[in-house]
Structures are given as structure tokens and as C-alpha cells.
Amino acid sequence: MRRRRREEEQENHERWLLTYADLITLLLAFFIMMYTLSKQDAQKYEEVSAYLRAIFTGGTAILRTGNAAASGPAVNVNITPTEASNAEIMRQLEEEIQSVTPLEEMKRNFSIFVDDRGIVVRALDKEYFDEGKADLKERAKNTIRRIIPILKKVNRGVRIEGHTDNVPISTQEFKSNWELSVRRATEVVRYIIEWGGFPPELLSAAGYAEYRPLTENTSPENRAMNRRIEIIIEKPNGKNTGRIVTGL
């Protein structure tokens, strides 16, 4: 009896090894999956990473499954009513922009996300303007017309921000990047008011020239990223609504 009891105690002490081995196996499979994703689809890897970070830090996230062109289901985690509302607004914005923009061009030149300012529609300047100009292109007008009904329905403040790269400009029309960035922002504001009948009191414009870059102006590609227009649907009541990630 004593020998049997000792054998059972020995067996019980070693059971934790089975759980440990299972955990190591699962972690190995997880990192193999992440490595494969990073090699096959860098954008999808970033989406999965953001989703997992939100889960493990107690935050929130929305992960769209499948191709961005598909209307597949979304995986929601701890979504508050305001965040759910933001997610629906972002889905509608994405659909409307995609309806007038080829998918590959949309992936390169547009992004929709939420930050401390609110819901942001970011477009590289080549989608809206010719180089050094502030006259809206026809395709820019088409895009703006598609999203105006969403902006009106949301009934929040909307701010338009203009940004340039650090290449100096000095023309008869624009003496500096400050003037160019402000003029581009106000052109978008004017079109939203004149074409869409949007309440002017809910609109504002800002120009930041080259002083809020997304990346260093060290290459033509980087400078192209910094030249942009951002349409911002401001947060309701000035409260932080969290962070939501969507893939385009």
C-alpha cells in the first residue's frame, strides 16, 4: 500500500508536464501561423496583430475577415455602443469610396481609421489635386459626393486638414506650403457646403503645411505619403471612443 501511494504521488507531481507541453505546442503553432501570415500578406498580418494586441491589453478591436472587397463578417471584442456606431460609419464610408474607386487604387491611396481626433478618412493628395494646385479633381468631387450623406447623417463636427511635404513652394498663387495646405482644406469645405448643403457651423478647416508628417521626407515615396487630405468626423461630446482598426 505504501509503495502504491508513493507511485501515485510521483505520477501526480509530473502531470504539470503534460499541460506545459501542450502550451508549448500551441505557442509554436501560433508563431508559425503568424510567421506565415507575415510572409504571405503583410497587411493581413498587421490586422491580426492589432486585433491580438487589443485582446491581450484589454482594449477593443474590429478585425475584418477575408478580402477588403468582400462584405464578410467582422469579429467584435468588447465593443461599446459608440464604438459600434463608429464601426458602422467606417463600413459605410469604405463602401461609398470603393463604389467610385478601383480597389487597388483605394488600397494605395485611402485609409479609414479612428484616432484621438475621431474617425479619419485619409486620402493622398494625388487623389484630390494636381501637384502644387488646390482645384479639386473630378474624381475627388465624386468621392466627396458619395460620403456627404454619411457626414450629414452622423451629425457631428467635421474638420478638413491639409498636409504637404517639405518641398518649398513659391508660385504666384501660393507663396508657401502653409497657404497651399489651407487652401486645399478650404476647397474641400466649400465643396461639401455648396454641393451637399452641409451645415457650415459643423465644418472647419486647418492647414499644417509640412509640420505634421506621417514619415520623414527622405524619399519621393515618403513625401507622397505626407501630402494628404484628412476628413475627420469628430468624436461626439469630445470623449475618447477607443481605437478601431479596419483594413482597406
Side-chain angles (χ1 to χ4, degrees), residues 24-112:
I24 293 299
T25 302
L26 288 172
L27 285 174
L28 177 62
F30 172 79
F31 285 116
I32 290 174
M33 179 193 73
M34 295 297 289
Y35 178 80
T36 302
L37 283 172
S38 69
K39 291 297 182 182
Q40 292 181 349
D41 189 336
Q43 179 178 348
K44 185 58 65 179
Y45 172 77
E46 289 300 324
E47 293 176 12
V48 173
S49 297
Y51 174 75
L52 291 173
R53 281 197 302 271
I55 293 175
F56 291 126
T57 58
T60 61
I62 290 182
L63 174 64
R64 292 195 178 277
T65 60
N67 191 296
S71 57
V75 179
N76 299 335
V77 179
N78 296 332
I79 299 300
T80 68
T82 299
E83 291 167 339
S85 174
N86 282 349
E88 176 61 20
I89 294 167
M90 293 167 69
R91 184 191 64 78
Q92 293 177 18
L93 290 168
E94 181 179 341
E95 288 180 354
E96 292 300 330
I97 295 173
Q98 189 172 313
S99 70
V100 293
T101 308
L103 180 59
E104 289 305 314
E105 184 176 317
M106 185 173 175
K107 287 182 177 180
R108 288 194 303 269
N109 299 330
F110 285 92
S111 57
I112 303 173

Side-chain angles (χ1 to χ4, degrees), residues 133-134 160-171 173-187 205-213 228-229:
K133 303 294 184 180
I160 313 301
E161 294 184 357
H163 302 265
T164 70
D165 60 23
N166 66 344
V167 177
I169 185 173
S170 181
T171 65
E173 189 173 10
F174 304 111
K175 300 302 182 184
S176 70
N177 282 325
W178 284 111
E179 293 163 280
L180 176 61
S181 64
V182 171
R183 173 71 178 280
R184 285 180 168 181
T186 54
E187 280 296 304
Y208 294 103
E210 68 264 34
Y211 296 105
R212 295 194 180 183
R228 65 198 191 275
I229 282 288

Side-chain angles (χ1 to χ4, degrees), residues 86 113-120 156 232-235 241:
N86 282 349
F113 56 94
V114 169
D115 64 13
D116 290 340
R117 298 169 294 174
I119 301 172
V120 182
R156 301 187 199 170
I232 302 158
I233 302 174
E234 297 176 336
K235 295 178 294 186
T241 57

